[in-house]
Amino acid sequence: MPNLFLSLFQSPLLPATQPLTYRLFPDGESYIRFETPLNNQEVIFVDSLNQPNEKIIPLIMAADAARQEGAQRIGLIAPYLAYMRQDKKFHPGEAITSKTMARLISQSFDWMITIDPHLHRYKALSDIYTIPALALSAAPILGDWIRQHVTNPLLVGPDSESAQWVSEAAQHAQAPFIILEKTRHGDHDVDITIPNFPEIDQYTPVLVDDIISTGQTMIQAAAHFSVSPYCVGVHGVFSGSAYDNMKQANFAEIITCNTIPHPTNQIDIWPLIASALAPQ
Ligand code: R5P
Protein backbone atom coordinates (compact mmCIF):
# COMPACT_ATOMS: atom_id res chain seq x y z
CA MET A 1 0.00 0.00 0.00
CA PRO A 2 1.68 3.31 -1.03
CA ASN A 3 2.22 5.99 1.63
CA LEU A 4 0.97 9.52 1.10
CA PHE A 5 2.30 12.08 3.61
CA LEU A 6 0.13 15.17 4.08
CA SER A 7 0.25 18.18 6.36
CA LEU A 8 -2.63 20.54 7.06
CA PHE A 9 -0.37 22.93 8.95
CA GLN A 10 2.75 22.84 6.74
CA SER A 11 5.16 20.53 8.48
CA PRO A 12 8.73 21.58 7.58
CA LEU A 13 9.41 17.90 6.85
CA LEU A 14 7.10 17.87 3.84
CA PRO A 15 7.21 19.76 0.53
CA ALA A 16 5.81 23.30 0.83
CA THR A 17 3.37 22.45 -1.99
CA GLN A 18 0.98 19.77 -0.85
CA PRO A 19 -1.71 17.89 -2.84
CA LEU A 20 -4.19 19.26 -0.35
CA THR A 21 -5.98 22.56 0.17
CA TYR A 22 -6.71 23.61 3.71
CA ARG A 23 -8.09 27.00 4.54
CA LEU A 24 -10.71 28.67 6.69
CA PHE A 25 -13.97 30.04 5.36
CA PRO A 26 -14.62 33.67 6.39
CA ASP A 27 -16.74 32.40 9.30
CA GLY A 28 -13.88 30.28 10.66
CA GLU A 29 -15.13 26.90 9.44
CA SER A 30 -12.59 24.56 7.80
CA TYR A 31 -12.35 23.94 4.04
CA ILE A 32 -10.44 20.77 3.11
CA ARG A 33 -9.88 19.35 -0.37
CA PHE A 34 -7.57 16.54 -1.46
CA GLU A 35 -6.05 17.37 -4.85
CA THR A 36 -4.96 13.78 -5.48
CA PRO A 37 -6.77 10.43 -5.38
CA LEU A 38 -6.43 8.63 -2.03
CA ASN A 39 -7.78 5.24 -3.15
CA ASN A 40 -6.04 2.32 -1.46
CA GLN A 41 -3.32 4.53 0.02
CA GLU A 42 -1.98 4.80 3.53
CA VAL A 43 -2.51 8.48 4.26
CA ILE A 44 -0.24 9.87 6.97
CA PHE A 45 -0.90 13.30 8.44
CA VAL A 46 2.25 14.96 9.80
CA ASP A 47 1.25 17.76 12.16
CA SER A 48 2.41 18.68 15.65
CA LEU A 49 -0.41 19.45 18.07
CA ASN A 50 0.83 22.69 19.58
CA GLN A 51 -2.10 25.15 19.47
CA PRO A 52 -4.23 21.99 19.77
CA ASN A 53 -7.65 23.57 19.95
CA GLU A 54 -7.36 25.11 16.51
CA LYS A 55 -5.76 22.01 14.97
CA ILE A 56 -7.66 19.02 16.28
CA ILE A 57 -11.06 19.67 14.61
CA PRO A 58 -9.56 20.20 11.10
CA LEU A 59 -7.37 17.09 11.55
CA ILE A 60 -10.33 14.95 12.55
CA MET A 61 -12.33 16.29 9.62
CA ALA A 62 -9.44 15.64 7.23
CA ALA A 63 -9.03 12.07 8.51
CA ASP A 64 -12.76 11.46 8.09
CA ALA A 65 -12.70 12.93 4.58
CA ALA A 66 -9.63 10.86 3.66
CA ARG A 67 -11.50 7.69 4.64
CA GLN A 68 -14.47 8.74 2.51
CA GLU A 69 -12.05 9.32 -0.39
CA GLY A 70 -10.90 5.70 -0.18
CA ALA A 71 -7.77 5.85 2.03
CA GLN A 72 -7.14 2.38 3.43
CA ARG A 73 -5.29 3.36 6.56
CA ILE A 74 -4.80 6.73 8.19
CA GLY A 75 -1.86 7.51 10.43
CA LEU A 76 -0.93 10.56 12.47
CA ILE A 77 2.64 11.66 13.12
CA ALA A 78 2.31 14.33 15.82
CA PRO A 79 5.85 15.04 17.07
CA TYR A 80 4.29 17.11 19.88
CA LEU A 81 1.15 15.63 21.41
CA ALA A 82 -0.90 18.09 23.44
CA TYR A 83 -3.09 17.69 26.53
CA MET A 84 -0.99 14.93 28.13
CA ARG A 85 -0.42 16.94 31.33
CA GLN A 86 -4.14 16.89 32.21
CA ASP A 87 -3.90 13.34 33.49
CA LYS A 88 -5.88 13.57 36.74
CA LYS A 89 -8.49 15.64 38.51
CA PHE A 90 -6.28 18.03 40.47
CA HIS A 91 -9.48 19.62 41.85
CA PRO A 92 -13.06 18.29 42.01
CA GLY A 93 -14.97 18.75 38.77
CA GLU A 94 -11.92 19.18 36.53
CA ALA A 95 -11.91 17.55 33.08
CA ILE A 96 -9.26 14.91 32.41
CA THR A 97 -8.77 16.21 28.88
CA SER A 98 -5.92 13.81 28.03
CA LYS A 99 -8.56 11.06 27.88
CA THR A 100 -10.89 13.07 25.65
CA MET A 101 -8.01 13.86 23.29
CA ALA A 102 -7.01 10.18 23.24
CA ARG A 103 -10.57 9.17 22.41
CA LEU A 104 -10.87 11.71 19.58
CA ILE A 105 -7.57 10.67 17.99
CA SER A 106 -8.21 6.95 18.49
CA GLN A 107 -11.61 7.26 16.77
CA SER A 108 -10.17 9.05 13.72
CA PHE A 109 -6.75 7.53 13.06
CA ASP A 110 -5.51 3.94 12.74
CA TRP A 111 -2.14 4.60 14.35
CA MET A 112 -0.05 7.41 15.78
CA ILE A 113 3.62 8.22 16.38
CA THR A 114 4.76 10.95 18.74
CA ILE A 115 7.87 12.04 20.64
CA ASP A 116 8.15 12.18 24.42
CA PRO A 117 4.48 12.60 25.28
CA HIS A 118 4.19 13.75 28.89
CA LEU A 119 3.84 10.31 30.49
CA HIS A 120 3.59 10.94 34.20
CA ARG A 121 0.62 9.24 35.79
CA TYR A 122 0.04 7.18 32.64
CA LYS A 123 2.75 4.56 32.15
CA ALA A 124 2.18 4.25 28.40
CA LEU A 125 0.01 5.79 25.69
CA SER A 126 -1.89 2.48 25.59
CA ASP A 127 -3.37 3.43 29.00
CA ILE A 128 -5.61 5.90 27.15
CA TYR A 129 -5.14 5.38 23.36
CA THR A 130 -6.94 2.41 21.79
CA ILE A 131 -4.94 2.51 18.51
CA PRO A 132 -1.26 1.50 18.17
CA ALA A 133 0.45 4.63 19.53
CA LEU A 134 4.23 4.74 19.51
CA ALA A 135 6.09 7.10 21.86
CA LEU A 136 9.65 7.74 20.68
CA SER A 137 12.23 9.14 23.07
CA ALA A 138 14.41 12.11 22.13
CA ALA A 139 16.54 11.59 25.27
CA PRO A 140 19.37 9.77 23.44
CA ILE A 141 19.73 12.54 20.83
CA LEU A 142 19.52 15.23 23.53
CA GLY A 143 22.30 13.42 25.39
CA ASP A 144 24.40 13.13 22.22
CA TRP A 145 23.94 16.85 21.51
CA ILE A 146 25.04 17.71 25.06
CA ARG A 147 28.09 15.44 24.86
CA GLN A 148 29.15 17.10 21.60
CA HIS A 149 28.49 20.74 22.58
CA VAL A 150 28.91 21.22 26.34
CA THR A 151 32.12 20.95 28.35
CA ASN A 152 31.86 19.11 31.67
CA PRO A 153 28.02 19.04 31.78
CA LEU A 154 25.84 18.35 34.80
CA LEU A 155 22.32 17.49 33.58
CA VAL A 156 19.56 18.98 35.69
CA GLY A 157 15.94 17.82 35.71
CA PRO A 158 13.73 20.59 37.10
CA ASP A 159 11.14 18.26 38.66
CA SER A 160 10.55 14.62 39.55
CA GLU A 161 8.68 13.96 36.29
CA SER A 162 11.79 14.87 34.30
CA ALA A 163 13.88 12.09 35.91
CA GLN A 164 12.80 9.59 33.22
CA TRP A 165 14.33 11.50 30.27
CA VAL A 166 17.11 13.29 32.16
CA SER A 167 18.58 10.00 33.42
CA GLU A 168 18.53 8.55 29.90
CA ALA A 169 20.01 11.72 28.35
CA ALA A 170 22.74 11.73 31.01
CA GLN A 171 23.80 8.22 30.01
CA HIS A 172 24.25 9.38 26.42
CA ALA A 173 25.98 12.59 27.52
CA GLN A 174 28.26 10.48 29.74
CA ALA A 175 27.60 12.98 32.52
CA PRO A 176 26.11 13.08 36.02
CA PHE A 177 22.60 14.39 36.70
CA ILE A 178 20.53 15.81 39.54
CA ILE A 179 16.78 16.21 39.91
CA LEU A 180 15.31 19.36 41.49
CA GLU A 181 11.99 19.66 43.31
CA LYS A 182 9.22 21.77 41.87
CA THR A 183 6.03 23.04 43.47
CA ARG A 184 3.56 24.60 41.06
CA HIS A 185 1.26 27.26 42.54
CA GLY A 186 -0.27 28.43 39.25
CA ASP A 187 0.25 28.54 35.47
CA HIS A 188 3.06 31.13 35.79
CA ASP A 189 4.10 30.47 39.36
CA VAL A 190 6.53 27.69 40.32
CA ASP A 191 8.99 27.23 43.20
CA ILE A 192 12.09 25.13 42.75
CA THR A 193 14.48 23.74 45.33
CA ILE A 194 17.85 22.21 44.59
CA PRO A 195 19.58 19.30 46.38
CA ASN A 196 23.22 19.42 47.50
CA PHE A 197 25.69 18.28 44.87
CA PRO A 198 29.44 18.34 45.60
CA GLU A 199 31.45 21.02 43.75
CA ILE A 200 28.43 21.98 41.65
CA ASP A 201 30.16 25.16 40.44
CA GLN A 202 32.79 23.04 38.64
CA TYR A 203 30.15 21.88 36.14
CA THR A 204 28.23 23.48 33.29
CA PRO A 205 24.57 22.98 34.26
CA VAL A 206 22.28 21.78 31.48
CA LEU A 207 18.58 22.02 32.34
CA VAL A 208 16.62 19.35 30.49
CA ASP A 209 12.82 19.20 30.34
CA ASP A 210 10.21 17.75 28.02
CA ILE A 211 8.10 20.89 27.52
CA ILE A 212 8.90 24.60 27.74
CA SER A 213 5.56 26.39 27.96
CA THR A 214 5.63 29.61 30.00
CA GLY A 215 9.37 29.04 30.58
CA GLN A 216 8.94 29.62 34.32
CA THR A 217 10.17 26.14 35.26
CA MET A 218 13.42 26.72 33.37
CA ILE A 219 13.80 30.34 34.56
CA GLN A 220 13.28 29.47 38.23
CA ALA A 221 15.62 26.47 37.97
CA ALA A 222 18.32 28.58 36.27
CA ALA A 223 18.26 31.08 39.15
CA HIS A 224 19.85 28.44 41.42
CA PHE A 225 23.11 28.29 39.45
CA SER A 226 26.05 30.69 39.47
CA VAL A 227 27.33 29.25 36.15
CA SER A 228 24.97 30.16 33.26
CA PRO A 229 23.06 26.98 32.43
CA TYR A 230 22.14 25.62 29.03
CA CYS A 231 18.41 25.15 28.63
CA VAL A 232 17.46 22.11 26.55
CA GLY A 233 13.80 21.28 25.88
CA VAL A 234 12.25 18.60 23.73
CA HIS A 235 9.14 20.63 22.85
CA GLY A 236 9.49 24.41 22.71
CA VAL A 237 5.87 25.51 23.02
CA PHE A 238 6.93 29.01 24.22
CA SER A 239 3.50 30.37 25.20
CA GLY A 240 2.96 34.13 24.95
CA SER A 241 6.05 36.08 26.00
CA ALA A 242 7.89 32.98 27.27
CA TYR A 243 10.79 33.20 24.82
CA ASP A 244 11.34 36.94 25.42
CA ASN A 245 11.27 36.33 29.19
CA MET A 246 13.74 33.48 28.83
CA LYS A 247 16.11 35.62 26.79
CA GLN A 248 16.32 37.96 29.82
CA ALA A 249 17.38 35.07 32.10
CA ASN A 250 20.97 33.90 32.51
CA PHE A 251 20.96 31.00 30.03
CA ALA A 252 24.13 30.20 28.10
CA GLU A 253 21.87 29.00 25.27
CA ILE A 254 18.28 27.87 24.72
CA ILE A 255 17.97 24.76 22.57
CA THR A 256 14.97 22.72 21.47
CA CYS A 257 14.15 19.82 19.18
CA ASN A 258 12.30 20.64 15.97
CA THR A 259 9.05 19.02 17.08
CA ILE A 260 7.60 22.56 16.94
CA PRO A 261 9.26 24.98 14.50
CA HIS A 262 11.12 27.74 16.45
CA PRO A 263 14.40 29.68 16.16
CA THR A 264 15.81 27.60 19.06
CA ASN A 265 15.50 24.33 17.08
CA GLN A 266 18.93 22.71 16.96
CA ILE A 267 18.19 19.03 17.48
CA ASP A 268 16.61 17.19 14.57
CA ILE A 269 14.06 14.52 15.50
CA TRP A 270 13.09 13.54 11.95
CA PRO A 271 15.74 10.78 11.60
CA LEU A 272 14.18 9.24 14.73
CA ILE A 273 10.74 9.28 13.11
CA ALA A 274 12.10 8.04 9.78
CA SER A 275 13.73 5.05 11.48
CA ALA A 276 10.44 4.23 13.26
CA LEU A 277 8.69 4.22 9.86
CA ALA A 278 11.33 2.12 8.11
CA PRO A 279 10.25 -1.48 7.47
CA GLN A 280 11.78 -3.74 10.17
C1 R5P B 1 5.50 19.64 33.60
O1 R5P B 1 5.05 18.74 34.15
C2 R5P B 1 6.38 19.59 32.38
O2 R5P B 1 7.29 18.51 32.44
C3 R5P B 1 7.15 20.89 32.26
O3 R5P B 1 8.02 21.03 33.37
C4 R5P B 1 6.19 22.06 32.21
O4 R5P B 1 5.22 21.86 31.22
C5 R5P B 1 6.93 23.35 31.96
O5 R5P B 1 5.99 24.37 31.99
P1 R5P B 1 6.39 25.89 32.10
O6 R5P B 1 7.39 26.19 31.01
O7 R5P B 1 5.11 26.63 31.92
O8 R5P B 1 6.97 26.10 33.46
Side-chain angles (χ1 to χ4, degrees):
M1 197 189 329
N3 287 341
L4 176 65
F5 292 91
L6 294 175
S7 172
L8 288 189
F9 306 101
Q10 298 301 335
S11 162
L13 173 73
L14 300 181
T17 314
Q18 286 268 292
L20 164 79
T21 300
Y22 170 62
R23 67 178 178 85
L24 294 179
F25 284 110
D27 58 6
E29 294 182 3
S30 292
Y31 174 88
I32 298 160
R33 180 181 179 192
F34 299 105
E35 318 277 1
T36 186
L38 306 186
N39 277 342
N40 302 322
Q41 306 225 39
E42 171 129 23
V43 173
I44 303 168
F45 290 93
V46 183
D47 283 305
S48 259
L49 287 171
N50 55 312
Q51 304 298 327
N53 291 1
E54 63 193 53
K55 289 182 172 177
I56 192 66
I57 293 289
L59 265 173
I60 287 172
M61 289 179 166
D64 186 47
R67 231 178 269 285
Q68 289 171 31
E69 289 294 307
Q72 247 178 40
R73 269 165 47 98
I74 303 178
L76 173 65
I77 298 176
Y80 174 63
L81 179 63
Y83 276 109
M84 287 299 290
R85 286 165 295 176
Q86 309 306 318
D87 58 0
K88 79 163 201 179
K89 277 185 205 287
F90 296 91
H91 301 101
E94 280 180 355
I96 306 179
T97 46
S98 51
K99 288 189 178 170
T100 314
M101 190 72 163
R103 214 160 28 240
L104 289 171
I105 291 178
S106 298
Q107 282 164 0
S108 298
F109 296 89
D110 296 309
W111 56 266
M112 178 180 74
I113 295 178
T114 188
I115 307 241
D116 288 315
H118 188 83
L119 292 172
H120 182 207
R121 290 169 190 90
Y122 303 127
K123 292 205 169 24
L125 287 173
S126 56
D127 290 358
I128 50 173
Y129 281 77
T130 55
I131 51 172
L134 178 62
L136 300 170
S137 168
I141 54 175
L142 293 187
D144 291 343
W145 188 95
I146 293 166
R147 195 184 67 250
Q148 289 157 14
H149 293 85
V150 184
T151 308
N152 201 21
L154 169 67
L155 275 68
V156 180
D159 54 27
S160 59
E161 289 139 75
S162 64
Q164 46 186 309
W165 43 87
V166 174
S167 55
E168 196 184 352
Q171 268 186 12
H172 285 259
Q174 296 165 4
F177 71 94
I178 55 172
I179 302 297
L180 313 186
E181 264 188 43
K182 176 167 89 178
T183 310
R184 183 174 284 284
H185 304 291
D187 291 345
H188 294 82
D189 186 7
V190 295
D191 274 344
I192 300 240
T193 54
I194 179 167
N196 282 329
F197 189 81
E199 300 186 334
I200 199 161
D201 293 344
Q202 309 297 310
Y203 291 90
T204 310
V206 184
L207 305 175
V208 179
D209 206 358
D210 60 339
I211 302 169
I212 303 172
S213 178
T214 66
Q216 283 306 314
T217 298
M218 290 297 207
I219 290 171
Q220 296 308 324
H224 288 277
F225 294 92
S226 53
V227 177
S228 292
Y230 282 74
C231 167
V232 179
V234 179
H235 307 293
V237 173
F238 296 113
S239 326
S241 59
Y243 186 46
D244 285 338
N245 299 340
M246 291 180 76
K247 285 194 287 188
Q248 310 299 317
N250 67 330
F251 295 114
E253 215 175 329
I254 303 169
I255 290 119
T256 58
C257 296
N258 56 352
T259 59
I260 299 171
H262 191 264
T264 54
N265 291 165
Q266 281 201 47
I267 302 175
D268 186 13
I269 49 86
W270 293 110
L272 196 62
I273 291 182
S275 59
L277 287 173
Q280 304 301 308

Coordinates of all heavy atoms in Angstrom, one line a residue, residues 85 118 158-159 161 165 182 184 187 190 209-218, ligand 1:
R85 N -0.6 16.6 29.9 CA -0.4 16.9 31.3 C -1.7 16.9 32.1 O -1.7 16.9 33.4 CB 0.3 18.3 31.4 CG 1.8 18.2 31.1 CD 2.3 19.6 30.8 NE 1.7 20.2 29.6 CZ 1.9 21.4 29.2 NH1 2.8 22.2 29.9 NH2 1.4 21.9 28.1
H118 N 4.0 13.6 27.5 CA 4.2 13.8 28.9 C 3.6 12.6 29.7 O 2.4 12.7 30.1 CB 3.6 15.1 29.3 CG 4.0 15.4 30.7 ND1 5.1 16.0 31.1 CD2 3.3 15.2 31.9 CE1 5.2 16.2 32.4 NE2 4.1 15.7 32.9
P158 N 14.3 19.6 36.2 CA 13.7 20.6 37.1 C 12.6 20.0 38.0 O 12.2 20.7 39.0 CB 13.1 21.6 36.1 CG 12.9 20.9 34.9 CD 13.9 19.8 34.8
D159 N 12.2 18.8 37.8 CA 11.1 18.3 38.7 C 11.2 16.7 38.6 O 11.8 16.2 37.7 CB 9.7 18.8 38.3 CG 9.4 18.6 36.9 OD1 9.9 17.6 36.2 OD2 8.6 19.4 36.3
E161 N 9.1 14.6 37.5 CA 8.7 14.0 36.3 C 9.8 13.9 35.2 O 9.8 13.0 34.3 CB 7.5 14.8 35.7 CG 6.3 14.7 36.5 CD 5.5 16.0 36.6 OE1 4.9 16.4 35.6 OE2 5.6 16.6 37.7
W165 N 13.5 11.2 31.5 CA 14.3 11.5 30.3 C 15.7 12.1 30.6 O 16.6 11.9 29.9 CB 13.6 12.4 29.3 CG 12.8 13.5 29.9 CD1 13.3 14.8 30.2 CD2 11.4 13.5 30.2 NE1 12.3 15.5 30.7 CE2 11.2 14.8 30.8 CE3 10.4 12.6 30.2 CZ2 9.9 15.1 31.2 CZ3 9.2 12.9 30.7 CH2 8.9 14.2 31.2
K182 N 10.0 20.6 42.3 CA 9.2 21.8 41.9 C 7.9 21.7 42.6 O 7.2 20.7 42.7 CB 9.0 21.7 40.4 CG 8.1 22.8 39.8 CD 8.2 22.8 38.3 CE 7.3 21.9 37.6 NZ 7.3 22.0 36.1
R184 N 4.3 23.7 41.9 CA 3.6 24.6 41.1 C 2.4 25.2 41.8 O 1.6 24.5 42.4 CB 3.1 23.9 39.8 CG 2.4 24.8 38.8 CD 2.0 24.1 37.5 NE 3.2 23.8 36.6 CZ 3.8 24.8 35.9 NH1 3.4 26.0 35.9 NH2 4.8 24.4 35.1
D187 N -0.3 28.7 36.8 CA 0.2 28.5 35.5 C 1.6 29.2 35.3 O 2.5 28.7 34.6 CB -0.7 29.2 34.4 CG -2.0 28.4 34.3 OD1 -2.1 27.3 34.8 OD2 -3.0 29.0 33.7
V190 N 5.9 28.9 39.8 CA 6.5 27.7 40.3 C 7.7 28.0 41.3 O 8.3 29.0 41.1 CB 7.1 26.8 39.2 CG1 6.0 26.3 38.3 CG2 8.2 27.5 38.4
D209 N 14.2 19.5 30.0 CA 12.8 19.2 30.3 C 12.1 18.8 29.1 O 12.6 19.0 28.0 CB 12.2 20.5 30.9 CG 11.0 20.1 31.8 OD1 10.6 18.9 32.0 OD2 10.4 21.1 32.4
D210 N 10.9 18.2 29.2 CA 10.2 17.7 28.0 C 9.5 18.9 27.3 O 9.5 19.0 26.1 CB 9.2 16.6 28.4 CG 8.1 17.0 29.4 OD1 8.3 18.0 30.1 OD2 7.1 16.3 29.4
I211 N 8.9 19.8 28.1 CA 8.1 20.9 27.5 C 8.6 22.2 28.1 O 8.7 22.3 29.3 CB 6.6 20.7 27.8 CG1 6.1 19.3 27.3 CG2 5.8 21.8 27.2 CD1 4.7 18.9 27.8
I212 N 8.7 23.2 27.3 CA 8.9 24.6 27.7 C 7.6 25.3 27.3 O 7.4 25.5 26.1 CB 10.1 25.3 27.1 CG1 11.4 24.5 27.4 CG2 10.3 26.7 27.6 CD1 12.6 25.0 26.6
S213 N 6.8 25.7 28.3 CA 5.6 26.4 28.0 C 5.7 27.9 28.3 O 6.0 28.7 27.5 CB 4.4 25.7 28.7 OG 3.2 26.4 28.4
T214 N 5.4 28.2 29.6 CA 5.6 29.6 30.0 C 7.1 29.9 30.2 O 7.5 31.1 30.3 CB 4.9 29.9 31.3 OG1 5.6 29.2 32.4 CG2 3.5 29.6 31.3
G215 N 7.9 28.9 30.3 CA 9.4 29.0 30.6 C 9.7 29.2 32.0 O 10.9 29.3 32.4
Q216 N 8.7 29.3 32.9 CA 8.9 29.6 34.3 C 9.7 28.5 35.0 O 10.6 28.8 35.9 CB 7.6 29.9 35.1 CG 7.0 31.3 34.8 CD 8.1 32.4 35.1 OE1 8.8 32.4 36.1 NE2 8.2 33.3 34.1
T217 N 9.4 27.3 34.6 CA 10.2 26.1 35.3 C 11.7 26.3 35.0 O 12.5 26.2 35.9 CB 9.7 24.8 34.7 OG1 8.3 24.7 35.0 CG2 10.4 23.6 35.2
M218 N 12.0 26.6 33.7 CA 13.4 26.7 33.4 C 14.0 28.0 34.0 O 15.2 28.0 34.5 CB 13.6 26.8 31.8 CG 13.3 25.5 31.1 SD 14.4 24.2 31.6 CE 14.4 23.1 30.2
Ligands
R5P1 C1 5.5 19.6 33.6 O1 5.1 18.7 34.2 C2 6.4 19.6 32.4 O2 7.3 18.5 32.4 C3 7.2 20.9 32.3 O3 8.0 21.0 33.4 C4 6.2 22.1 32.2 O4 5.2 21.9 31.2 C5 6.9 23.4 32.0 O5 6.0 24.4 32.0 P1 6.4 25.9 32.1 O6 7.4 26.2 31.0 O7 5.1 26.6 31.9 O8 7.0 26.1 33.5

